[in-house]
Amino acid sequence: MIEIEIIADSDKDLLEQIAIKIGGSVTSNWSENVLTINNENAIGTIKFIPFDWGVNLLDFDIKLHKEFIFKIQAVPEFNPLRFMYPSFGSFKHRFGIDNKESKIEQFQSLIFTNKTDGYNYIHLPKNEKVEINLIEIVRKKFLKKELQTFLH
């Protein structure tokens, strides 16, 4: 099992943090960043697409050859609200303060955020193809947009 600690202090470094542990190469085309992996750890892609005003999409289309746990740490400046949806396959989730994992099956959804300085764990299975969409809403940026819309 491989644990990848993600320091969630910005949205653009995420793929680089994953690539350091899993391997693969990150390419950028316009605002879409893609981590492509084809090695002993995994085969597939993880895409990161930032939208305006603090909304980001992470799109996993990957088969891992080993179990992976993404350990996501929050920092006060960047602690998005996350919506995860597996359209194919499943994954497990647990909050840092819990010992119990909850399995999120295909077509179910998970909505979570981190407690300040807390952790969330996303456990992806070995030898199972997964297609997962993860939408992040960075609250400070999103609320700034809402405030500007309201004031105009």
Side-chain angles (χ1 to χ4, degrees):
M1 181 178 337
I2 297 176
E3 184 173 280
I4 300 173
E5 185 164 359
I6 304 293
I7 309 296
D9 58 356
S10 78
D11 45 22
K12 58 187 168 200
D13 297 330
L14 179 67
L15 293 182
E16 293 292 340
Q17 290 178 39
I18 295 171
I20 289 169
K21 289 284 192 167
I22 296 180
S25 61
V26 178
T27 57
S28 296
N29 189 10
W30 297 84
S31 65
E32 181 179 275
N33 300 293
V34 180
L35 170 59
T36 303
I37 308 157
N38 187 359
N39 60 26
E40 69 281 356
N41 293 320
I43 184 167
T45 59
I46 302 173
K47 294 179 185 174
F48 175 79
I49 305 168
F51 295 96
D52 290 338
W53 301 104
V55 177
N56 303 316
L57 171 66
L58 269 164
D59 183 49
F60 293 78
D61 185 356
I62 196 164
K63 181 177 181 181
L64 301 167
H65 304 310
K66 302 172 183 171
E67 284 184 70
F68 280 84
I69 293 181
F70 292 93
K71 180 180 176 184
I72 304 167
Q73 180 186 12
V75 294
E77 304 80 46
F78 183 84
N79 189 9
L81 182 60
R82 293 181 174 95
F83 300 82
M84 277 185 92
Y85 177 80
S87 58
F88 190 86
S90 64
F91 65 92
K92 294 178 183 172
H93 170 266
R94 80 174 171 90
F95 292 105
I97 58 172
D98 294 334
N99 290 324
K100 181 182 172 239
E101 287 186 322
S102 297
K103 188 170 186 179
I104 311 301
E105 300 279 357
Q106 181 177 5
F107 305 129
Q108 292 181 332
S109 58
L110 170 69
I111 301 170
F112 69 99
T113 191
N114 284 44
K115 191 174 178 181
T116 301
D117 295 324
Y119 287 92
N120 273 280
Y121 295 84
I122 304 297
H123 185 168
L124 297 178
K126 173 182 175 180
N127 294 327
E128 182 181 327
K129 180 176 170 52
V130 292
E131 293 176 12
I132 300 171
N133 290 324
L134 180 122
I135 298 171
E136 294 181 329
I137 298 176
V138 182
R139 290 172 279 187
K140 286 183 180 181
K141 289 182 182 179
F142 190 76
L143 288 173
K144 193 176 186 180
K145 175 195 182 240
E146 288 298 310
L147 215 83
Q148 285 184 345
T149 303
F150 178 74
L151 294 174
H152 288 112

Short mmCIF file of all heavy atoms in Angstrom, two decimals, residues 99-138:
data_model
loop_
_atom_site.label_atom_id
_atom_site.label_comp_id
_atom_site.label_asym_id
_atom_site.label_seq_id
_atom_site.Cartn_x
_atom_site.Cartn_y
_atom_site.Cartn_z
N ASN A 99 -11.49 5.82 12.85
CA ASN A 99 -10.74 4.64 12.41
C ASN A 99 -11.53 3.84 11.40
O ASN A 99 -11.00 2.95 10.75
CB ASN A 99 -10.39 3.75 13.60
CG ASN A 99 -9.34 4.41 14.48
OD1 ASN A 99 -8.44 5.07 13.98
ND2 ASN A 99 -9.46 4.23 15.78
N LYS A 100 -12.81 4.16 11.24
CA LYS A 100 -13.69 3.39 10.37
C LYS A 100 -13.76 4.02 8.98
O LYS A 100 -14.03 5.21 8.84
CB LYS A 100 -15.09 3.33 10.98
CG LYS A 100 -16.07 2.53 10.16
CD LYS A 100 -17.46 2.55 10.77
CE LYS A 100 -18.41 1.90 9.81
NZ LYS A 100 -19.48 2.75 9.39
N GLU A 101 -13.52 3.19 7.96
CA GLU A 101 -13.68 3.64 6.58
C GLU A 101 -15.10 3.37 6.12
O GLU A 101 -15.71 2.38 6.50
CB GLU A 101 -12.73 2.87 5.65
CG GLU A 101 -11.29 3.26 5.76
CD GLU A 101 -10.44 2.56 4.71
OE1 GLU A 101 -10.68 1.38 4.41
OE2 GLU A 101 -9.52 3.21 4.20
N SER A 102 -15.60 4.26 5.28
CA SER A 102 -16.90 4.08 4.64
C SER A 102 -16.67 3.84 3.16
O SER A 102 -15.93 4.58 2.52
CB SER A 102 -17.78 5.31 4.82
OG SER A 102 -18.04 5.53 6.18
N LYS A 103 -17.31 2.81 2.63
CA LYS A 103 -17.16 2.51 1.21
C LYS A 103 -18.16 3.33 0.41
O LYS A 103 -19.35 3.35 0.72
CB LYS A 103 -17.37 1.03 0.93
CG LYS A 103 -17.04 0.63 -0.50
CD LYS A 103 -17.02 -0.86 -0.69
CE LYS A 103 -16.55 -1.19 -2.10
NZ LYS A 103 -16.51 -2.65 -2.30
N ILE A 104 -17.68 4.01 -0.60
CA ILE A 104 -18.51 4.80 -1.51
C ILE A 104 -18.60 4.00 -2.80
O ILE A 104 -17.62 3.85 -3.53
CB ILE A 104 -17.91 6.21 -1.76
CG1 ILE A 104 -17.54 6.90 -0.45
CG2 ILE A 104 -18.86 7.04 -2.60
CD1 ILE A 104 -18.67 7.11 0.53
N GLU A 105 -19.78 3.45 -3.05
CA GLU A 105 -20.00 2.59 -4.20
C GLU A 105 -20.23 3.42 -5.47
O GLU A 105 -20.49 4.62 -5.40
CB GLU A 105 -21.23 1.70 -3.96
CG GLU A 105 -21.12 0.79 -2.76
CD GLU A 105 -20.33 -0.47 -3.02
OE1 GLU A 105 -19.89 -0.70 -4.18
OE2 GLU A 105 -20.14 -1.24 -2.07
N GLN A 106 -20.20 2.73 -6.61
CA GLN A 106 -20.49 3.36 -7.89
C GLN A 106 -21.84 4.08 -7.81
O GLN A 106 -22.80 3.54 -7.28
CB GLN A 106 -20.53 2.29 -8.99
CG GLN A 106 -20.79 2.84 -10.37
CD GLN A 106 -20.75 1.73 -11.42
OE1 GLN A 106 -20.62 0.56 -11.13
NE2 GLN A 106 -20.86 2.13 -12.66
N PHE A 107 -21.90 5.29 -8.33
CA PHE A 107 -23.08 6.16 -8.39
C PHE A 107 -23.49 6.76 -7.05
O PHE A 107 -24.49 7.46 -6.97
CB PHE A 107 -24.28 5.49 -9.05
CG PHE A 107 -24.00 4.94 -10.42
CD1 PHE A 107 -24.33 3.64 -10.74
CD2 PHE A 107 -23.40 5.72 -11.39
CE1 PHE A 107 -24.06 3.12 -12.00
CE2 PHE A 107 -23.13 5.23 -12.65
CZ PHE A 107 -23.46 3.92 -12.96
N GLN A 108 -22.76 6.48 -5.97
CA GLN A 108 -23.00 7.18 -4.72
C GLN A 108 -22.14 8.43 -4.72
O GLN A 108 -21.25 8.59 -5.55
CB GLN A 108 -22.65 6.30 -3.51
CG GLN A 108 -23.56 5.12 -3.33
CD GLN A 108 -23.18 4.29 -2.11
OE1 GLN A 108 -22.03 4.27 -1.69
NE2 GLN A 108 -24.16 3.61 -1.55
N SER A 109 -22.37 9.33 -3.78
CA SER A 109 -21.54 10.53 -3.72
C SER A 109 -21.09 10.79 -2.29
O SER A 109 -21.70 10.33 -1.33
CB SER A 109 -22.29 11.73 -4.28
OG SER A 109 -23.48 11.95 -3.55
N LEU A 110 -20.01 11.53 -2.20
CA LEU A 110 -19.43 11.91 -0.92
C LEU A 110 -19.20 13.41 -0.95
O LEU A 110 -18.64 13.93 -1.91
CB LEU A 110 -18.10 11.17 -0.71
CG LEU A 110 -17.25 11.62 0.48
CD1 LEU A 110 -17.93 11.24 1.79
CD2 LEU A 110 -15.87 10.98 0.40
N ILE A 111 -19.64 14.09 0.08
CA ILE A 111 -19.39 15.52 0.23
C ILE A 111 -18.61 15.69 1.52
O ILE A 111 -19.03 15.20 2.58
CB ILE A 111 -20.71 16.32 0.30
CG1 ILE A 111 -21.54 16.09 -0.96
CG2 ILE A 111 -20.42 17.81 0.50
CD1 ILE A 111 -22.95 16.65 -0.88
N PHE A 112 -17.45 16.35 1.44
CA PHE A 112 -16.64 16.52 2.64
C PHE A 112 -15.75 17.74 2.55
O PHE A 112 -15.54 18.30 1.48
CB PHE A 112 -15.79 15.26 2.91
CG PHE A 112 -14.68 15.03 1.92
CD1 PHE A 112 -13.39 15.40 2.21
CD2 PHE A 112 -14.93 14.39 0.71
CE1 PHE A 112 -12.35 15.16 1.31
CE2 PHE A 112 -13.92 14.15 -0.20
CZ PHE A 112 -12.62 14.53 0.10
N THR A 113 -15.27 18.14 3.69
CA THR A 113 -14.23 19.15 3.80
C THR A 113 -13.34 18.72 4.95
O THR A 113 -13.64 17.75 5.65
CB THR A 113 -14.82 20.56 3.99
OG1 THR A 113 -13.77 21.52 3.84
CG2 THR A 113 -15.47 20.72 5.35
N ASN A 114 -12.27 19.42 5.16
CA ASN A 114 -11.37 19.10 6.25
C ASN A 114 -11.64 20.02 7.43
O ASN A 114 -11.94 21.20 7.25
CB ASN A 114 -9.91 19.29 5.83
CG ASN A 114 -9.41 18.18 4.96
OD1 ASN A 114 -10.09 17.75 4.04
ND2 ASN A 114 -8.22 17.71 5.25
N LYS A 115 -11.48 19.47 8.61
CA LYS A 115 -11.39 20.28 9.80
C LYS A 115 -10.05 21.00 9.69
O LYS A 115 -9.09 20.45 9.14
CB LYS A 115 -11.41 19.34 11.01
CG LYS A 115 -11.59 19.98 12.32
CD LYS A 115 -11.73 18.88 13.37
CE LYS A 115 -11.85 19.54 14.72
NZ LYS A 115 -11.97 18.57 15.79
N THR A 116 -9.95 22.22 10.17
CA THR A 116 -8.69 22.96 10.06
C THR A 116 -7.56 22.12 10.63
O THR A 116 -7.65 21.60 11.73
CB THR A 116 -8.79 24.31 10.81
OG1 THR A 116 -9.86 25.04 10.23
CG2 THR A 116 -7.51 25.10 10.67
N ASP A 117 -6.52 21.98 9.84
CA ASP A 117 -5.35 21.15 10.15
C ASP A 117 -5.69 19.67 10.29
O ASP A 117 -4.86 18.89 10.76
CB ASP A 117 -4.62 21.65 11.42
CG ASP A 117 -4.02 23.03 11.22
OD1 ASP A 117 -3.55 23.31 10.09
OD2 ASP A 117 -4.04 23.82 12.17
N GLY A 118 -6.88 19.27 9.87
CA GLY A 118 -7.28 17.87 9.94
C GLY A 118 -6.93 17.13 8.67
O GLY A 118 -6.42 17.70 7.71
N TYR A 119 -7.25 15.84 8.66
CA TYR A 119 -6.96 14.98 7.52
C TYR A 119 -8.22 14.26 7.04
O TYR A 119 -9.11 13.97 7.84
CB TYR A 119 -5.93 13.91 7.89
CG TYR A 119 -4.53 14.44 8.05
CD1 TYR A 119 -4.07 14.85 9.29
CD2 TYR A 119 -3.67 14.51 6.96
CE1 TYR A 119 -2.77 15.33 9.45
CE2 TYR A 119 -2.38 14.99 7.11
CZ TYR A 119 -1.94 15.39 8.35
OH TYR A 119 -0.66 15.87 8.50
N ASN A 120 -8.26 13.98 5.75
CA ASN A 120 -9.21 13.07 5.15
C ASN A 120 -8.40 12.03 4.41
O ASN A 120 -7.34 12.33 3.85
CB ASN A 120 -10.12 13.80 4.15
CG ASN A 120 -11.32 14.41 4.82
OD1 ASN A 120 -12.29 13.71 5.10
ND2 ASN A 120 -11.26 15.69 5.09
N TYR A 121 -8.90 10.80 4.39
CA TYR A 121 -8.21 9.71 3.73
C TYR A 121 -9.11 9.14 2.63
O TYR A 121 -10.25 8.76 2.90
CB TYR A 121 -7.87 8.60 4.73
CG TYR A 121 -6.90 9.04 5.79
CD1 TYR A 121 -7.32 9.72 6.93
CD2 TYR A 121 -5.54 8.79 5.65
CE1 TYR A 121 -6.43 10.14 7.90
CE2 TYR A 121 -4.63 9.20 6.62
CZ TYR A 121 -5.08 9.87 7.75
OH TYR A 121 -4.19 10.28 8.70
N ILE A 122 -8.58 9.11 1.43
CA ILE A 122 -9.26 8.50 0.29
C ILE A 122 -8.47 7.25 -0.07
O ILE A 122 -7.29 7.33 -0.41
CB ILE A 122 -9.33 9.46 -0.92
CG1 ILE A 122 -10.00 10.78 -0.55
CG2 ILE A 122 -10.02 8.78 -2.11
CD1 ILE A 122 -11.44 10.66 -0.13
N HIS A 123 -9.12 6.10 0.00
CA HIS A 123 -8.48 4.81 -0.20
C HIS A 123 -8.95 4.24 -1.54
O HIS A 123 -10.12 3.90 -1.69
CB HIS A 123 -8.88 3.90 0.96
CG HIS A 123 -8.20 2.57 0.97
ND1 HIS A 123 -8.26 1.74 2.06
CD2 HIS A 123 -7.46 1.90 0.05
CE1 HIS A 123 -7.59 0.63 1.80
NE2 HIS A 123 -7.10 0.72 0.59
N LEU A 124 -8.05 4.18 -2.50
CA LEU A 124 -8.37 3.64 -3.82
C LEU A 124 -7.89 2.19 -3.90
O LEU A 124 -6.78 1.88 -3.47
CB LEU A 124 -7.73 4.47 -4.93
CG LEU A 124 -8.21 5.93 -5.02
CD1 LEU A 124 -7.48 6.65 -6.13
CD2 LEU A 124 -9.70 6.00 -5.23
N PRO A 125 -8.73 1.30 -4.44
CA PRO A 125 -8.42 -0.13 -4.43
C PRO A 125 -7.37 -0.53 -5.47
O PRO A 125 -7.17 0.14 -6.47
CB PRO A 125 -9.76 -0.77 -4.75
CG PRO A 125 -10.46 0.24 -5.58
CD PRO A 125 -10.04 1.58 -5.04
N LYS A 126 -6.77 -1.66 -5.20
CA LYS A 126 -5.79 -2.29 -6.10
C LYS A 126 -6.52 -3.05 -7.20
O LYS A 126 -7.54 -3.69 -6.95
CB LYS A 126 -4.94 -3.24 -5.26
CG LYS A 126 -3.97 -4.10 -6.01
CD LYS A 126 -3.26 -5.02 -5.03
CE LYS A 126 -2.36 -5.99 -5.75
NZ LYS A 126 -1.67 -6.86 -4.81
N ASN A 127 -6.01 -2.96 -8.42
CA ASN A 127 -6.50 -3.74 -9.58
C ASN A 127 -7.98 -3.54 -9.88
O ASN A 127 -8.64 -4.45 -10.38
CB ASN A 127 -6.20 -5.23 -9.39
CG ASN A 127 -4.72 -5.51 -9.40
OD1 ASN A 127 -3.95 -4.84 -10.09
ND2 ASN A 127 -4.30 -6.47 -8.60
N GLU A 128 -8.49 -2.36 -9.59
CA GLU A 128 -9.88 -2.04 -9.93
C GLU A 128 -9.88 -0.70 -10.66
O GLU A 128 -9.39 0.29 -10.14
CB GLU A 128 -10.73 -1.93 -8.66
CG GLU A 128 -12.19 -1.65 -8.93
CD GLU A 128 -13.02 -1.54 -7.64
OE1 GLU A 128 -12.70 -2.21 -6.65
OE2 GLU A 128 -13.97 -0.74 -7.64
N LYS A 129 -10.39 -0.70 -11.87
CA LYS A 129 -10.48 0.56 -12.61
C LYS A 129 -11.49 1.47 -11.91
O LYS A 129 -12.55 1.02 -11.50
CB LYS A 129 -10.94 0.29 -14.05
CG LYS A 129 -11.07 1.55 -14.89
CD LYS A 129 -11.43 1.20 -16.32
CE LYS A 129 -11.81 2.38 -17.16
NZ LYS A 129 -10.93 3.49 -17.20
N VAL A 130 -11.12 2.73 -11.76
CA VAL A 130 -12.05 3.71 -11.17
C VAL A 130 -12.14 4.92 -12.08
O VAL A 130 -11.16 5.33 -12.70
CB VAL A 130 -11.64 4.15 -9.74
CG1 VAL A 130 -11.78 3.01 -8.75
CG2 VAL A 130 -10.24 4.71 -9.70
N GLU A 131 -13.34 5.43 -12.17
CA GLU A 131 -13.60 6.72 -12.81
C GLU A 131 -14.31 7.56 -11.78
O GLU A 131 -15.45 7.26 -11.41
CB GLU A 131 -14.45 6.53 -14.07
CG GLU A 131 -13.73 5.77 -15.17
CD GLU A 131 -14.61 5.49 -16.38
OE1 GLU A 131 -15.72 6.08 -16.49
OE2 GLU A 131 -14.20 4.68 -17.23
N ILE A 132 -13.62 8.57 -11.28
CA ILE A 132 -14.14 9.39 -10.19
C ILE A 132 -14.03 10.85 -10.57
O ILE A 132 -12.99 11.30 -11.03
CB ILE A 132 -13.34 9.14 -8.88
CG1 ILE A 132 -13.44 7.67 -8.47
CG2 ILE A 132 -13.82 10.06 -7.76
CD1 ILE A 132 -12.50 7.29 -7.33
N ASN A 133 -15.11 11.58 -10.36
CA ASN A 133 -15.09 13.04 -10.52
C ASN A 133 -15.06 13.66 -9.14
O ASN A 133 -15.83 13.26 -8.26
CB ASN A 133 -16.34 13.53 -11.26
CG ASN A 133 -16.32 13.13 -12.70
OD1 ASN A 133 -15.28 13.10 -13.33
ND2 ASN A 133 -17.47 12.79 -13.23
N LEU A 134 -14.18 14.62 -8.97
CA LEU A 134 -14.09 15.33 -7.71
C LEU A 134 -14.18 16.82 -8.03
O LEU A 134 -13.37 17.35 -8.78
CB LEU A 134 -12.76 15.03 -7.00
CG LEU A 134 -12.58 15.74 -5.69
CD1 LEU A 134 -12.36 14.73 -4.57
CD2 LEU A 134 -11.42 16.70 -5.75
N ILE A 135 -15.21 17.45 -7.50
CA ILE A 135 -15.38 18.90 -7.68
C ILE A 135 -15.00 19.58 -6.38
O ILE A 135 -15.47 19.19 -5.30
CB ILE A 135 -16.83 19.25 -8.05
CG1 ILE A 135 -17.19 18.60 -9.39
CG2 ILE A 135 -17.04 20.77 -8.10
CD1 ILE A 135 -18.66 18.69 -9.75
N GLU A 136 -14.12 20.56 -6.48
CA GLU A 136 -13.70 21.34 -5.31
C GLU A 136 -14.25 22.75 -5.44
O GLU A 136 -14.18 23.35 -6.51
CB GLU A 136 -12.18 21.46 -5.25
CG GLU A 136 -11.43 20.20 -5.00
CD GLU A 136 -9.93 20.44 -4.93
OE1 GLU A 136 -9.41 21.36 -5.61
OE2 GLU A 136 -9.28 19.70 -4.20
N ILE A 137 -14.77 23.26 -4.34
CA ILE A 137 -15.18 24.66 -4.27
C ILE A 137 -14.34 25.32 -3.19
O ILE A 137 -14.49 25.02 -2.01
CB ILE A 137 -16.68 24.80 -3.98
CG1 ILE A 137 -17.49 24.15 -5.11
CG2 ILE A 137 -17.05 26.27 -3.81
CD1 ILE A 137 -18.97 24.15 -4.89
N VAL A 138 -13.43 26.19 -3.63
CA VAL A 138 -12.59 26.93 -2.71
C VAL A 138 -13.44 28.08 -2.19
O VAL A 138 -13.71 29.04 -2.90
CB VAL A 138 -11.29 27.42 -3.39
CG1 VAL A 138 -10.41 28.16 -2.40
CG2 VAL A 138 -10.56 26.26 -4.03
#
